[in-house]
Amino acid sequence: EKGYETGEHAPGLKLGGRGAYKAAHHIIKTHAKVWHSYNSTWRGEQQGMVGISLTSGWGEPVDPHNQTDRDAAERYIQFHLGWFANPIYRGDYPEVMKNYVGRKSAQQGLGTSRLPTFSVQEKTYIKGTSDFLGIGHFTTRYVLQKSFPFLQVSSYHTDRDLAELVDPKWPAPGPKCLYSVPWGFRRLLNFVKTQYGNPLIYVTENGVSEKVQCTQLCDEWRIEYLKGYINEILKALNDGVNVKGYTAWSLLDKFEWNKGFSERFGFYHIDFKNKNKPRYPKASVDYYRNIINANGFPNPREVMS
């Protein structure tokens, strides 16, 4: 969407209302081809796994008792995660995506939907092409219905007919878009469990960047973020969600999309102005190291011998 619709990311194309759907369509078909290639050629010898990693926020209805809000929150997830996961696990795009994009395309006088379609053969070929699901997750939004008037210029955002809100009480340790809402992660993981048949899950990205450069390396907000989110994964495990592994984002400060080196997610601070790029551990390094050593939260009463 950022690469093929808004043009914020490479390749910087602004193909309103079509480009993102078309690019995603090719990604899904290509993913399936790679999975089948591995499955038929190398799996027997290597016994490896091929999956896909999808990043998604969680959408919570503003009023959980209001069916319209609940429907809008469901659309939020289906237009994010379901867009890619539904074809791979269930054989086609989510019905709500097909309905909304199809209806808005018809209102524009287009003969066919801006959301491409899979042939019967493609659906069969794509379905089941994931040995595990990688999940990247960072934040949550409250969601409610918002009807966008008929627009000649369409977009992925207006197709969904929803608005995103945040709670001003949510901590925002990183940039304003990245609020810390740990409970949303447990709900997202349970959604995956119920929607896609409880697949094997690896958390492939989860972390927070810093608003200001942390010269003292005391990133206590990152420690709080990690504590909250990892704790919700443990709750999801108790719910029966099949989470196998967790990867924090990220080991080092690095090049972060269109933010370049200015947005820092790392456990290690990198001095990019120094030609040798020295690395300095932030406080979160010790905290995360202890979690790794204990394979969970260390017991504060346990004396290390």
Side-chain angles (χ1 to χ4, degrees):
E1 185 254 335
K2 285 186 167 64
Y4 291 88
E5 184 155 308
T6 66
E8 290 172 62
H9 290 177
L13 301 178
K14 296 181 181 179
L15 308 172
R18 286 181 182 274
Y21 296 135
K22 202 169 178 181
H25 199 69
H26 290 311
I27 287 169
I28 293 161
K29 291 205 289 185
T30 307
H31 162 81
K33 187 157 190 176
V34 171
W35 187 91
H36 281 286
S37 173
Y38 185 84
N39 196 50
S40 58
T41 310
W42 295 289
R43 190 188 298 276
E45 181 186 337
Q46 297 179 350
Q47 297 300 304
M49 292 196 302
V50 177
I52 193 165
S53 182
L54 305 175
T55 299
S56 180
W58 174 249
E60 183 74 8
V62 167
D63 180 359
H65 305 295
N66 181 319
Q67 187 61 49
T68 309
D69 284 359
R70 290 209 303 270
D71 291 346
E74 170 84 10
R75 280 200 305 283
Y76 177 88
I77 300 295
Q78 294 294 2
F79 267 80
H80 273 75
L81 182 67
W83 183 6
F84 295 86
N86 220 73
I88 289 166
Y89 284 96
R90 303 175 78 167
D92 199 3
Y93 290 122
E95 285 301 314
V96 71
M97 266 192 98
K98 294 196 288 183
N99 292 342
Y100 269 69
V101 182
R103 179 166 48 81
K104 298 212 170 205
S105 300
Q107 285 171 352
Q108 290 175 279
L110 301 174
T112 56
S113 175
R114 287 179 282 102
L115 183 70
T117 55
F118 295 113
S119 69
V120 174
Q121 290 87 352
E122 284 171 339
K123 289 176 188 177
T124 306
Y125 188 73
I126 291 163
K127 187 177 179 181
T129 56
S130 204
D131 305 316
F132 66 88
L133 179 61
I135 287 285
H137 175 73
F138 294 89
T139 193
T140 283
R141 293 286 185 268
Y142 279 122
V143 180
L144 77 166
Q145 164 77 21
K146 180 183 179 181
S147 294
F148 287 90
F150 169 66
L151 299 165
Q152 270 313 127
V153 182
S154 53
S155 78
Y156 165 78
H157 280 283
T158 56
D159 282 341
R160 305 176 302 165
D161 273 355
L162 58 85
E164 302 173 36
L165 306 175
V166 295
D167 186 334
K169 295 195 283 291
W170 287 345
K176 268 296 178 193
C177 61
L178 221 167
Y179 291 84
S180 178
V181 195
W183 53 259
F185 202 4
R186 181 184 184 184
R187 296 185 187 195
L188 179 66
L189 291 169
N190 272 281
F191 177 89
V192 169
K193 175 191 169 191
T194 55
Q195 285 275 311
Y196 310 123
N198 203 12
L200 177 64
I201 294 172
Y202 286 93
V203 176
T204 44
E205 287 186 41
N206 174 239
V208 68
S209 58
E210 48 228 48
K211 258 183 211 159
V212 291
Q213 193 159 316
C214 176
T215 50
Q216 301 302 312
L217 306 176
C218 48
D219 56 345
E220 69 287 341
W221 65 86
R222 183 172 283 110
I223 290 170
E224 285 304 309
Y225 180 98
L226 291 167
K227 184 193 292 181
Y229 277 76
I230 292 170
N231 194 37
E232 292 297 320
I233 298 170
L234 288 171
K235 291 177 188 175
L237 276 166
N238 288 333
D239 298 334
V241 180
N242 191 12
V243 184
K244 185 75 171 176
Y246 173 84
T247 311
W249 191 262
S250 60
L251 179 66
L252 309 170
D253 291 337
K254 49 165 180 42
F255 193 86
E256 189 66 36
W257 297 97
N258 55 340
K259 298 287 193 292
F261 296 111
S262 66
E263 192 164 354
R264 295 171 177 265
F265 277 87
F267 286 128
Y268 284 84
H269 174 87
I270 309 295
D271 182 358
F272 292 114
K273 294 189 173 115
N274 186 314
K275 71 176 173 57
N276 295 321
K277 309 286 187 291
R279 306 166 182 187
Y280 303 99
K282 302 174 189 175
S284 53
V285 167
D286 277 338
Y287 181 77
Y288 193 52
R289 181 188 288 124
N290 290 336
I291 288 177
I292 292 169
N293 285 338
N295 194 28
F297 292 112
N299 184 342
R301 296 191 186 124
E302 189 176 331
V303 179
M304 302 297 285
S305 56

